[in-house]
Amino acid sequence: MSNLDRWKQFTQARIGLGRFGVSISTKDMLRFRMDHAKAKDAVVQEPSWDPIFDQLKLFSKLYGIQHQFVKSQVTSKQEYLLRPDLGRRLSEESKIKLDSSEKGFDLGIVCVDGLSAKAIDENLLLFLEGFLSKIETLHLKLAPLVVAQWGRVAIGDEISEILQSKICLVIIGERPGLSSADSLGLYLTYEPKVGKTDEARNCISNVRPLGFPLPLACDKAIYLIQESISQKRSGVLLKDQMPKPKQSIDMKEDLSKLKSFREE
């Protein structure tokens, strides 16, 4: 096995592409077209909400966290892609719904479809299961888990401001890449409110089994939440000094857990 073939085992990046004259090989061209189609599908499709809500009901029993469904001001998928500003704000109906809820929490968790239905379908529930099982050891008062349709990252600020959550964790489907159509992004904001900008957030990106592994992402998010509570800040003012894990994450084991979880 050549060194190039060994490198290919550890990345989905397009390295060492074969060439025939001035063109790449047919195999690599077909792979490119397939990945491009997957990325487009991830953007234009909708998550499978019904099985997600069924599992959230189970999480409610296991972890005592309720959930609510809200919408942004967007009225269609096409408008969502053309008007990012509308995806940052709640619809009037959703504002009324949240305003009638209990107020005053330590942490609000907001799940947003974003730009990848595939990421939500394949990785959201698995991440939440690991995260909720670990976050309960901190004994924080959790707001109802809010699922937002056609939202952008900043919609979490308005949701958490209404619910009066000290910290907001947004879990969102990231814009797909040509080899990563299933990535989640995690955004942490201290004292969220409408008008907050991105320098006030901490971001954990590329959360997926073949990217930043889900167990590590759970640990990183919980570390940042603890530091944010302690230092009363987030974003560029909150430095990530989390020690490196003593043991590496086994991707094969992570994928095996993912398959088992879906089968259940």
Side-chain angles (χ1 to χ4, degrees):
M1 181 183 293
S2 67
N3 286 334
L4 188 58
D5 289 332
R6 291 192 183 95
W7 294 340
K8 287 183 178 181
Q9 296 180 81
F10 301 103
T11 180
Q12 292 179 290
R14 300 174 195 286
I15 60 173
L17 300 183
R19 299 187 67 85
F20 290 88
V22 296
S23 302
I24 64 174
S25 68
T26 301
K27 179 182 68 175
D28 291 324
M29 174 60 74
L30 291 176
R31 180 188 164 206
F32 173 85
R33 290 181 177 177
M34 175 63 76
D35 288 343
H36 186 247
K38 288 179 179 178
K40 289 174 65 177
D41 286 347
V43 171
V44 300
Q45 291 177 349
E46 293 290 326
S48 301
W49 292 118
D50 289 342
I52 290 174
F53 290 132
D54 288 342
Q55 189 66 31
L56 290 180
K57 291 177 183 177
L58 178 59
F59 287 168
S60 177
K61 296 177 182 178
L62 290 174
Y63 306 112
I65 183 170
Q66 302 300 314
H67 65 274
Q68 294 199 43
F69 180 73
V70 299
K71 293 184 178 182
S72 70
Q73 294 180 2
V74 172
T75 58
S76 69
K77 190 71 175 188
Q78 182 179 17
E79 186 176 54
Y80 173 75
L81 297 174
L82 296 174
R83 293 289 304 274
D85 56 316
L86 297 181
R88 299 184 184 109
R89 300 301 301 271
L90 285 168
S91 66
E92 289 302 319
E93 182 180 354
S94 294
K95 288 181 188 178
I96 294 171
K97 179 193 293 188
L98 290 180
D99 200 43
S100 63
S101 302
E102 180 185 352
K103 307 289 195 306
F105 301 95
D106 296 316
L107 174 65
I109 304 170
V110 180
C111 305
V112 188
D113 48 6
L115 287 166
S116 177
K118 185 178 177 68
I120 300 300
D121 285 340
E122 296 191 1
N123 295 321
L124 174 63
L125 293 175
L126 190 65
F127 174 81
L128 282 175
E129 184 180 41
F131 179 77
L132 292 174
S133 65
K134 292 180 178 180
I135 199 69
E136 65 177 354
T137 62
L138 300 185
H139 306 293
L140 301 176
K141 186 177 181 182
L142 300 183
L145 189 150
V146 178
V147 178
Q149 184 181 31
W150 295 332
R152 303 281 176 165
V153 172
I155 199 170
D157 295 334
E158 185 170 19
I159 291 169
S160 295
E161 185 176 19
I162 293 173
L163 295 177
Q164 297 176 14
S165 300
K166 295 178 184 177
I167 298 174
C168 173
L169 178 68
V170 171
I171 308 168
I172 190 169
E174 288 189 316
R175 179 183 292 107
L178 284 176
S179 59
S180 56
D182 60 342
S183 294
L184 292 174
L186 313 179
Y187 293 83
L188 179 76
T189 310
Y190 183 76
E191 292 186 341
K193 60 182 179 180
V194 175
K196 284 269 186 175
T197 47
D198 287 343
E199 90 285 345
R201 315 186 201 285
N202 293 87
C203 175
I204 306 171
S205 186
N206 196 32
V207 178
R208 59 193 182 98
L210 292 177
F212 193 83
L214 277 70
L216 266 183
C218 288
D219 292 341
K220 177 73 74 176
I222 289 172
Y223 165 82
L224 290 173
I225 288 169
Q226 289 177 298
E227 290 298 303
S228 183
I229 292 172
S230 173
Q231 300 183 35
K232 296 181 171 56
R233 64 183 70 178
S234 63
V236 296
L237 298 177
L238 180 63
K239 303 304 179 184
D240 180 2
Q241 297 177 321
M242 180 179 176
K244 292 184 178 180
K246 295 180 180 179
Q247 296 180 339
S248 61
I249 296 297
D250 188 334
M251 286 189 179
K252 291 183 178 179
E253 180 182 350
D254 201 20
L255 288 170
S256 176
K257 290 180 181 178
L258 176 63
K259 181 180 178 182
S260 175
F261 181 79
R262 289 176 189 161
E263 289 174 350
E264 292 175 2

